Amino acid sequence: MNKFLWDLAYFQQRAILAPTNKVVDSINKELLESLPGEEKVYFSSDSLCQSEDESEFNMALFPPDVLNNLRLSGLPNHKLILKLGAPVMLLRNIDQANRLCNGARLQVTRHEKVVIEAKIITWTKIGHHTLISRLKMTLSDKRILVKISRRQFPLSLCFCYDNK
């Protein structure tokens, strides 16, 4: 894989399907470790939404460590680990005119503290570079009593997908 890392077609034509998120995470982690270079780790900032009653009861039910461990569809993970060359998928529509939509695949070309530069590897803008910044995303899930806000890059590794 390393000799084809910067070949635009390499990740365009490849994806691994897996039956569960647990398997997806395991494969993504193993393939990321096989890439050369140093890992960059990004942690989210999680909180209860301002509109929610920030009672002591809710704060006791959802302290920061509980919020950080929630893995909910529609929100990026609390911990995002990247390396240069890693394929990532956008989890939000950020620029529809330039096809930076939910599901677009990109390849990390630079990772800084507050911004990630990536090259588009799918759809019509293949080869164009873009900057991705952290977004504040809110999720309301009927299984959880409160609205959760997470500030994180709207990205996930995408060597492997959940086939659902």
Side-chain angles (χ1 to χ4, degrees):
M1 172 173 63
N2 290 339
K3 68 180 180 179
F4 301 108
L5 188 59
W6 298 106
D7 176 0
L8 279 177
Y10 186 75
F11 288 118
Q12 287 174 336
Q13 301 169 0
R14 287 165 179 76
I16 300 168
L17 297 179
T20 65
N21 284 330
K22 187 175 182 178
V23 174
V24 168
D25 292 342
S26 174
I27 292 171
N28 279 335
K29 181 181 179 201
E30 189 171 326
L31 289 173
L32 183 68
E33 288 172 357
S34 75
L35 290 181
E38 190 175 324
E39 291 181 345
K40 181 87 170 182
V41 180
Y42 299 95
F43 293 99
S44 70
S45 173
D46 299 339
S47 62
L48 297 179
C49 285
Q50 296 288 341
S51 62
E52 293 297 319
D53 178 20
E54 292 185 16
S55 68
E56 287 185 32
F57 179 72
N58 280 345
M59 296 305 281
L61 280 177
F62 299 98
D65 60 322
V66 170
L67 294 176
N68 293 346
N69 287 315
L70 290 175
R71 298 189 56 135
L72 300 168
S73 179
L75 283 183
N77 292 335
H78 166 65
K79 184 177 181 181
L80 175 64
I81 305 171
L82 298 175
K83 284 185 178 182
L84 295 180
V88 291
M89 182 182 295
L90 271 176
L91 301 176
R92 285 284 188 270
N93 294 336
I94 58 173
D95 185 356
Q96 292 178 338
N98 286 308
R99 301 290 293 167
L100 292 172
C101 304
N102 185 11
R105 294 177 69 202
L106 310 140
Q107 186 177 30
V108 176
T109 56
R110 199 170 97 213
H111 46 58
E112 301 296 331
K113 185 175 182 178
V114 296
V115 70
I116 294 170
E117 181 180 333
K119 181 172 32 178
I120 300 169
I121 60 174
T122 55
W123 300 336
T124 58
K125 298 285 186 168
I126 294 170
H128 286 84
H129 286 255
T130 188
L131 298 175
I132 310 291
S133 59
R134 293 179 195 259
L135 298 177
K136 186 174 183 178
M137 295 161 270
T138 302
L139 184 70
S140 179
D141 189 314
K142 291 178 178 31
R143 298 172 292 170
I144 300 174
L145 304 172
V146 294
K147 285 185 182 177
I148 295 166
S149 177
R150 176 166 285 169
R151 188 170 181 267
Q152 178 61 293
F153 292 99
L155 300 170
S156 69
L157 279 175
C158 71
F159 292 103
C160 186
Y161 299 89
D162 184 338
N163 68 355
K164 293 177 189 167

